[in-house]
Amino acid sequence: MTTTIAQRIDALREELRRENLFAFIFPSTDPHQSEYTADHWKGREWISGFNGSAGTAVVTLHSAALWTDSRYFIAAAQQLEGTEFQLMRERIDGTPTIAEWLGQECGPGAEVALDGMCSSASAVKELIDELRKQGGITLRTNFDVLQRIWTDRPAIPTAPIVPQPLEYAGEDVASKLMRIRQALRQVHADGMLMASLDDIAWTLNLRGSDVHCNPVFVSYLLISTRSATLFVDEAKLTPAARQHLQQYGIATASYDAVKDGLRHYPDYNILADPDEVSDTLMHAIKSGKNGQLSPLNSQFLNLISHPSPVPAMKAVKTEAEQQGFRQAMIRDGVALVRFLRWLKPAIAAGGQTEMSIDRKLTALRAEQPLYQGLSFDTIAAYQAHGAIVHYEATPDTDAPLRPEGLLLLDSGAQYIDGTTDITRTIALGPVTDRQRHIYTLVLKGHIQLQLLRFPGGASGTQLDAIARSPLWHEGLNFLHGTGHGVGAYLNVHEGPHQIRMEYRPAPLHAGMTVTDEPGIYIEGQFGVRIENVLLTQPWRETDFGRFLQFETLTLCPIDTAPLDISLLTPEELRWLNDYHQLVYDRLAPHLDAPDRDWLCSATAPIAASR
């Protein structure tokens, strides 16, 4: 039965009163701390109506609020309209934290709750500490209210699991497990619980489709010194996946049996990443047969709370994965060229909208070999919609396209040999002087990052200002990250490294993929973002150490129509012309004559402005 947001909140409050609770907290994560979740765990979206990938909803007996970041300020305001949810803009002066707001709403001694299976151990610990400062508010973590009130809750997905061929992975499972165990020994751990879905898929060279746009499968992996067990719905294992697991000696058990597996863990101690493992499972480890509290420091001797070694391993691509990215970018580039050649004549003919061009681009990608679907839902945002950073058109917002102004198109695809993520801002016709000026500043920042050479081991935070400098020079800024890692036929957002203003200590090494995507967003008017995927490569070694540079993987023309060429330095102009020559050389052999002629024109060298 379909219910309204108001009816869902009423049902929730009835349960809160029954349990003597003042509030319930809905994070955006699942039991694996995923950025994108299967429908079964979209409780925050169900209770609030807000469908962004990041945010937390809180409902008390008398009020409701939702916290999200700058990517979703505009979209969230629109989606929450007509509900009682108050929008809380994170990292904006004057916005209270969740604990501070609950302190204002609840009063001393109140008890609030969340589902401990869907919140990481570190997040729960931090929240408990913050709530304690708000008049002694306590937190209950063993209550999943959605099991009671979400009557038509989707089931946990059961999509089939298949092996990822070694020719694309570049490293077999035995080698990965050996490296993981070596890393565990360095921190005196016998084994580990792996909860991150993309880490599990990478480790076992398996792929699935349980999460929209992410080729992963719902599971846990428990590694000990001599064995490994995959906790998964075994009905999902194809014959090929079963044979693959047997080949490497991986046992299987029911997905729901993970708590019991932790309680009977065969070795003495176990590593669990507190940012990855849920609070509930962390308690299951502590209560296991080896659980023992140290009298000296109140730490459990069988638990090593430490970051997982897997994300840093996964981030450095094998030679096979690097080559797979290059091949995937060629096929993606072919689809994009065919789309761009079609786009402006189709708009001039009339009848095109944001959603119709999304369908066209998806269909062209689907024609390419090894295509497995989108890597995220396409952002096709025309004019004012381009200022909504993660805008997704709906039938109610689907804007008709006219031969004028700017279209921001952020899209990507999954191929068996690689994952793509590209943004182009396209002039559909005449643009304003302000649009032209900002477009050029964004491109300058984009180019400056790609030109950079830097010491190996530098963090993305140290590089971030390079891309922002042309924008900062004119008092402009953007609040999202400048770049993120990209999985090898895995999640389009991958860590641990990032390029962003907020400090991220993860170092950059040769073999890592990272995006370059500065942007500027003028609310109610337009947005500009330009994005390529880059690969960190060795540059040269000097007396001052090893230096890295970027190889550009993405192959697609950058629109030169909205450029103010006078703002580009000779070095920036040279980079643009060289990049366009690379795009033409790589894509032309795979195009027919009309598409090749269009590409030749789109990548023609630009002379310096006089």
Side-chain angles (χ1 to χ4, degrees), residues 542-559:
T542 74
D543 293 341
F544 298 91
R546 295 178 180 177
F547 284 74
L548 303 176
Q549 63 184 351
F550 288 123
E551 173 190 345
T552 307
L553 295 176
T554 302
L555 300 171
C556 179
I558 293 171
D559 194 1

Side-chain angles (χ1 to χ4, degrees), residues 329 332 365 375-376 410-413 419-423 484-486 492-493 515 517 531-533 554:
M329 295 294 177
D332 209 54
R365 279 186 163 123
S375 57
F376 58 96
D410 188 351
S411 66
T419 300
T420 69
D421 182 2
I422 174 175
T423 307
H484 57 81
V486 179
V492 73
H493 293 158
T515 62
E517 49 181 310
E531 175 187 19
N532 283 344
V533 177
T554 302

Side-chain angles (χ1 to χ4, degrees), residues 206-235:
L206 293 173
R207 298 294 188 270
S209 55
D210 281 350
V211 180
H212 179 58
C213 296
N214 295 271
V216 297
F217 49 94
V218 174
S219 60
Y220 294 97
L221 181 62
L222 184 58
I223 299 174
S224 68
T225 52
R226 295 181 179 85
S227 65
T229 301
L230 178 66
F231 294 87
V232 67
D233 180 350
E234 296 185 55

Side-chain angles (χ1 to χ4, degrees), residues 66-77:
L66 182 133
W67 283 255
T68 193
D69 62 46
S70 64
R71 295 173 296 171
Y72 296 109
F73 287 168
I74 300 174

Side-chain angles (χ1 to χ4, degrees), residues 353-355 359 385 391-400:
T353 69
E354 293 166 331
M355 293 181 72
R359 291 191 293 268
H385 286 165
Y391 170 79
E392 185 180 340
T394 68
D396 292 334
T397 67
D398 188 20

Side-chain angles (χ1 to χ4, degrees), residues 30-32 117 193-197 200 204 217-222 229-232 254-256 258 276-278 281:
D30 60 9
H32 308 273
M117 276 296 290
L193 173 65
M194 200 180 300
S196 173
L197 300 185
I200 296 169
L204 298 180
F217 49 94
V218 174
S219 60
Y220 294 97
L221 181 62
L222 184 58
T229 301
L230 178 66
F231 294 87
V232 67
S254 168
Y255 176 69
D256 294 330
V258 65
E276 174 184 314
V277 175
S278 72
L281 292 185

Side-chain angles (χ1 to χ4, degrees), residues 222-296:
L222 184 58
I223 299 174
S224 68
T225 52
R226 295 181 179 85
S227 65
T229 301
L230 178 66
F231 294 87
V232 67
D233 180 350
E234 296 185 55
K236 296 158 59 170
L237 295 172
T238 61
R242 288 183 182 276
Q243 183 179 6
H244 177 82
L245 291 171
Q246 291 168 2
Q247 175 185 350
Y248 294 107
I250 310 296
T252 58
S254 168
Y255 176 69
D256 294 330
V258 65
K259 289 182 186 177
D260 192 56
L262 291 170
R263 292 190 183 104
H264 296 89
Y265 181 68
D267 291 333
Y268 178 69
N269 60 29
I270 181 171
L271 181 145
D273 187 333
D275 293 332
E276 174 184 314
V277 175
S278 72
D279 182 71
T280 299
L281 292 185
M282 197 70 87
H283 282 289
I285 294 172
K286 295 175 183 178
S287 63
K289 68 182 181 70
N290 296 318
Q292 183 180 354
L293 191 65
S294 168
L296 298 177

Side-chain angles (χ1 to χ4, degrees), residues 56-369:
T56 302
V58 184
V59 180
T60 76
L61 291 172
H62 311 294
S63 54
L66 182 133
W67 283 255
T68 193
D69 62 46
S70 64
R71 295 173 296 171
Y72 296 109
F73 287 168
I74 300 174
Q78 294 173 350
Q79 292 178 356
L80 298 178
E81 189 174 355
T83 75
E84 63 176 281
F85 277 95
Q86 176 185 359
L87 176 59
M88 298 292 186
R89 294 172 170 83
E90 292 177 346
R91 300 208 306 270
I92 298 298
D93 290 343
T95 299
T97 66
I98 291 172
E100 289 169 344
W101 183 77
L102 284 171
Q104 297 165 9
E105 297 289 315
C106 292
E111 185 175 36
V112 302
L114 53 71
D115 179 5
M117 276 296 290
C118 291
S119 295
S120 71
S122 60
V124 169
K125 182 182 184 303
E126 181 180 355
L127 183 58
I128 287 173
D129 291 342
E130 292 177 351
L131 288 173
R132 188 177 292 120
K133 300 173 185 176
Q134 304 297 322
I137 298 173
T138 57
L139 181 67
R140 178 179 169 185
T141 61
N142 64 347
F143 181 40
D144 179 7
V145 72
L146 292 174
Q147 293 286 64
R148 297 186 185 180
I149 64 175
W150 195 354
T151 55
D152 57 350
R153 187 176 188 178
I156 296 175
T158 57
I161 299 170
V162 298
Q164 172 72 341
L166 186 58
E167 65 180 293
Y168 301 129
E171 183 181 11
D172 69 15
V173 176
S175 173
K176 291 179 178 181
L177 287 173
M178 180 186 69
R179 288 204 290 139
I180 291 170
R181 288 184 173 116
Q182 288 173 344
L184 294 175
R185 285 196 293 271
Q186 291 176 4
V187 294
H188 309 291
D190 297 320
M192 71 174 292
L193 173 65
M194 200 180 300
S196 173
L197 300 185
D198 58 327
D199 286 359
I200 296 169
W202 175 86
T203 300
L204 298 180
N205 286 346
L206 293 173
R207 298 294 188 270
S209 55
D210 281 350
V211 180
H212 179 58
C213 296
N214 295 271
V216 297
F217 49 94
V218 174
S219 60
Y220 294 97
L221 181 62
L222 184 58
I223 299 174
S224 68
T225 52
R226 295 181 179 85
S227 65
T229 301
L230 178 66
F231 294 87
V232 67
D233 180 350
E234 296 185 55
K236 296 158 59 170
L237 295 172
T238 61
R242 288 183 182 276
Q243 183 179 6
H244 177 82
L245 291 171
Q246 291 168 2
Q247 175 185 350
Y248 294 107
I250 310 296
T252 58
S254 168
Y255 176 69
D256 294 330
V258 65
K259 289 182 186 177
D260 192 56
L262 291 170
R263 292 190 183 104
H264 296 89
Y265 181 68
D267 291 333
Y268 178 69
N269 60 29
I270 181 171
L271 181 145
D273 187 333
D275 293 332
E276 174 184 314
V277 175
S278 72
D279 182 71
T280 299
L281 292 185
M282 197 70 87
H283 282 289
I285 294 172
K286 295 175 183 178
S287 63
K289 68 182 181 70
N290 296 318
Q292 183 180 354
L293 191 65
S294 168
L296 298 177
N297 56 15
S298 299
Q299 298 295 314
F300 280 84
L301 299 177
N302 67 317
L303 171 63
I304 297 177
S305 182
H306 192 275
S308 167
V310 177
M313 295 179 183
K314 182 172 87 265
V316 177
K317 311 308 179 196
T318 64
E319 288 296 331
E321 289 172 329
Q322 293 179 32
Q323 189 57 27
F325 269 105
R326 295 184 185 101
Q327 295 303 312
M329 295 294 177
I330 289 174
R331 294 191 298 278
D332 209 54
V334 166
L336 286 159
V337 165
R338 291 173 178 167
F339 169 81
L340 291 171
R341 175 177 166 247
W342 165 87
L343 179 63
K344 290 182 182 179
I347 291 171
Q352 297 300 324
T353 69
E354 293 166 331
M355 293 181 72
S356 73
I357 66 165
D358 176 3
R359 291 191 293 268
K360 176 68 174 180
L361 178 54
T362 300
L364 289 169
R365 279 186 163 123
E367 295 174 358
Q368 296 301 311

